[in-house]
Amino acid sequence: MGRISQRNTEMKNWILIFLLAPFAWSAPKKPQLPPVFDPSDQLFRMAPMPQSSRSVAVPLSQPLFLAYDTKLCRIHSVWRGGPLKLFGPGYHGGKRPFICQPNGQSLWGNPPIAPWRFLKEGKSGLLHKPCKIKFIGISTDAGKVTFIYELLIPETPPVQIRECVFAIKDSVVRRIEVGPCPHALMYLAHVEKGKIPKGRNGNTAHFERLNNKTIATDFVRPDFSGGVLSFSPHYGNFTVETFTEEGTLKGNPMRLEEDGYFELQLKFPKSKIPFTFHFSSTMKQDKQFMLQHELKDAELNKRVSPRQSLTLKANPRARQSNALSPYYQTEAFALPEKMNLLVTGMDWLSKDQLAVSTYAGEVWVVEGATGRVKDMKFCRFARGMNEPMGVLVKDGKIHLGNKAEITRLSDTDKDGAADLFECVNRDWDYTGSYNSFSYGPVLDRNGNFVVANAGHAGRWSAQHMGWALRIKSDSAKAEAFASGFREPNGIGTFGADKDIFVTDNQGAWIGSCKLNHVKNGGFFGHPASKPALKGLYAGRQSFSPPAVWFPYKMARSSSGMCEVTDDRFGPFKGQMLVGDFQNAIVTRVQLEKVDGEWQGAVWPFLKGFQSGVNRLVMGMDGHLYVGGCKTVAWAANAPFSQGLERVKFNGKIPFEVKTVQAMPDGFELTFTKPVDPKAAGDAA
């Protein structure tokens, strides 16, 4: 009877599936959210694009736009139309699409070929050797975007290059400053598919594209002579990778390009002194081309953009905080109406200046952050970053954990906004995925940077996804020392030895949110990427246990953390506070080290914050500062998309379990207040 009953039940289920299937198939698809666009006065935007995940889009002048590949240091796209279409949770709110797209008519670009070579005499004559390139950063001095990088030539000091891009009329202008170099150099100004066109060498050359449009190059040497402009066939094959949403998991489409390209080459003899050259590239709709303008110093040195700094006053109609407690008072910052402060990182520039990074790639400094809410000022320090997930102030400079690199921000002209964006380290692969976050940086006990990279929504061949990386100051290499992270949306240090801790989010391979003590060789459960061997994790049963598992109902999306270091915050000095994004709460974690291993316990602490709790930081005033965010893609049990709140201890001691220690015969509990012996002695 049991078998017959089971078979009848299965038959009914199949009939039900058959009857309901047409309704499931015809279910309406969710409408795709429209892209968003940066304002016209923004100087650049770091974002993944189909041609390169490490792209920087630059609005030259309406309607001319350019995108630069900072991996190969080449212009990969020029288009006429509008600003870059921004997709992804940090911009248009949705998880897909997340690869950003040009917006308009494509004009020209260069394929993925390293643009610099050094020339060296060999047995068979003059040899062309590709230069390895180290990207240094971006400068926006005088309102123009300049890409700074170094040519790494064997047995030669690095040769610094400063490539400034801007527009004059309808021309893309490149002004390139070259440092001293003991070798002759060759720069590929343009690489085009087709046969070598008719043209003339010298100061001007023009040629026709295959689509009957014309690009012309005006080559000028204001302070250096001896360069030669020429055309040459491109010898050798190269592979074109197209970055796609599907490719972040399965690998991107790859296309082999064989011969059939030519190069516009600029050759320079070796030089003991720096030199500068510049040239313009103009696209015309007709075949008849005549260069009408000259590049003069007045045009080249013209400031082309307004100041990037912006100061906003506190909103007089500030919201009240709903994080209520008999023992702690919570006060909401009066965020200006024009702000979109989706908090992803916080650190202190000074005792009353709080640096805050946002999901959409801005950095704000809250002036008077420890004072009265209505007196605060919000100063925009930077924008155009690639979804940073952490802020660290080191040596007075703001360091951001961008998706593709650690970036150091400097205000060299003292106008209140960053104008130098230096790449500290980028020794990990970046697929462009909406989920390819890099959390941190923090500093370990030796002053090294540490970041934790997401392994969720990654692929095995992408290096250092799901790894903790240790980076010596200004080193180009990262040491991968622990693996197995899924979504480590919280990284911090704890204790006198500044041990590294990381929170990880529940999901695939991770049964519940947890707090991991990160140490050398640790594996924390989620399959990692290179440099691990894929076979290492086939059926792997063991992993490094966390210091604390968070109960599933309490924490669904564990986030940032901080250590309570001040007695002014109540009876919990020496313990850790950990946020939860989805439940918009702060939990309290007490840790103890036994035989070198951390373990501990977790308690509810505060709830009811305005937005999903994402970052925590203790102030020098003994108060807790809570930064929140919430998007369409990342839901939270909170009413608002943004929030910044301050929590103060009011002096009333709560009756709580302060600590718990594991003993050979049970647990020893210590309370914040004296306990009634009779009640405490009742084991039930």
Side-chain angles (χ1 to χ4, degrees), residues 118 149 156 171 202 212 224 241 266 307 330 345 352 420 433 484-485 493 525 663 673:
F118 68 98
Y149 52 95
T156 300
S171 298
N212 293 326
F224 177 72
E241 179 178 12
L266 307 178
R307 292 162 61 97
T330 304
D352 63 352
L420 181 60
S433 172
F485 300 136
T493 61
M663 309 298 288
K673 288 183 176 181

Side-chain angles (χ1 to χ4, degrees), residues 46-49 52-56 69-71 91 135 243 384-389 400-407 422-433 435-440 451-454 463-464 469 471 476 478:
M46 300 176 178
M49 294 179 65
S52 171
S53 63
R54 287 183 159 100
S55 291
V56 178
D69 173 11
T70 62
K71 184 176 181 180
Y91 309 116
F135 180 68
F243 289 82
M385 304 292 102
N386 188 1
E387 302 177 39
M389 282 292 142
L400 291 183
N402 277 305
K403 277 187 168 182
E405 66 180 43
I406 300 174
T407 309
E422 298 173 276
C423 174
V424 176
N425 188 277
R426 52 163 52 186
D427 189 22
W428 61 87
D429 289 339
Y430 172 49
T431 65
S433 172
N435 234 107
S436 292
F437 296 115
S438 185
Y439 297 99
V451 297
N453 288 342
Q463 179 174 257
H464 292 158
L469 305 179
I471 301 158

Side-chain angles (χ1 to χ4, degrees), residues 238-279:
F238 58 90
T239 301
V240 177
E241 179 178 12
T242 302
F243 289 82
T244 66
E245 280 79 6
E246 293 74 16
T248 59
L249 294 172
K250 301 177 181 179
N252 289 316
M254 310 291 282
R255 184 179 77 253
L256 180 65
E257 289 288 340
E258 301 182 6
D259 293 337
Y261 283 76
F262 65 87
E263 304 169 349
L264 178 59
Q265 303 174 348
L266 307 178
K267 297 179 181 178
F268 305 97
K270 60 184 179 181
S271 176
K272 294 182 179 180
I273 60 173
F275 64 90
T276 302
F277 65 94
H278 60 262
F279 56 93

Side-chain angles (χ1 to χ4, degrees), residues 203-216:
N203 282 353
T204 303
H206 67 276
F207 54 90
E208 295 180 3
R209 288 169 58 94
L210 298 179
N211 59 3
N212 293 326
K213 296 176 182 177
T214 306
I215 184 170

Side-chain angles (χ1 to χ4, degrees), residues 458-656:
R459 66 173 191 261
W460 203 280
S461 59
Q463 179 174 257
H464 292 158
M465 297 188 75
W467 283 83
L469 305 179
R470 184 183 293 116
I471 301 158
K472 293 183 179 179
S473 184
D474 295 328
S475 171
K477 293 294 183 182
E479 176 194 355
F481 68 95
S483 66
F485 300 136
R486 180 182 178 271
E487 201 63 62
N489 185 24
I491 180 171
T493 61
F494 180 81
D497 293 331
K498 298 192 72 174
D499 286 345
I500 303 293
F501 282 83
V502 161
T503 58
D504 209 350
N505 279 206
Q506 54 85 20
W509 301 91
I510 308 297
S512 184
C513 294
K514 55 181 180 171
L515 178 68
N516 298 310
H517 172 220
V518 185
K519 54 184 180 180
N520 290 348
F523 170 66
F524 297 97
H526 193 281
S529 68
K530 295 188 304 183
L533 301 174
K534 192 171 184 178
L536 178 64
Y537 298 106
R540 182 167 179 170
Q541 299 297 316
S542 62
F543 72 102
S544 302
V548 169
W549 286 104
F550 291 95
Y552 183 75
K553 289 185 178 181
M554 180 188 294
R556 302 289 179 89
S557 183
S558 295
S559 56
M561 68 189 75
C562 68
E563 181 178 357
V564 180
T565 55
D566 201 306
D567 286 319
R568 290 175 291 178
F569 196 70
F572 304 116
K573 183 179 179 180
Q575 298 190 12
M576 184 184 288
L577 300 176
V578 179
D580 186 78
F581 183 94
Q582 186 170 329
N583 289 335
I585 66 171
V586 173
T587 61
R588 175 172 62 89
V589 177
Q590 173 250 323
L591 295 167
E592 63 171 352
K593 185 179 280 188
V594 179
D595 295 332
E597 297 291 339
W598 286 101
Q599 61 185 23
V602 58
W603 290 270
F605 186 64
L606 287 173
K607 64 180 181 178
F609 289 94
Q610 292 186 342
S611 192
V613 174
N614 203 34
R615 295 294 176 262
L616 307 175
V617 66
M618 292 295 299
M620 299 180 189
D621 55 0
H623 305 326
L624 172 69
Y625 292 78
V626 180
C629 76
K630 170 184 170 182
T631 71
V632 176
W634 309 121
N637 298 325
F640 303 112
S641 63
Q642 57 182 343
L644 190 54
E645 298 169 83
R646 176 171 56 199
V647 181
K648 305 177 182 178
F649 177 56
N650 65 12
K652 298 179 182 179
I653 302 294
F655 180 70
E656 295 280 354

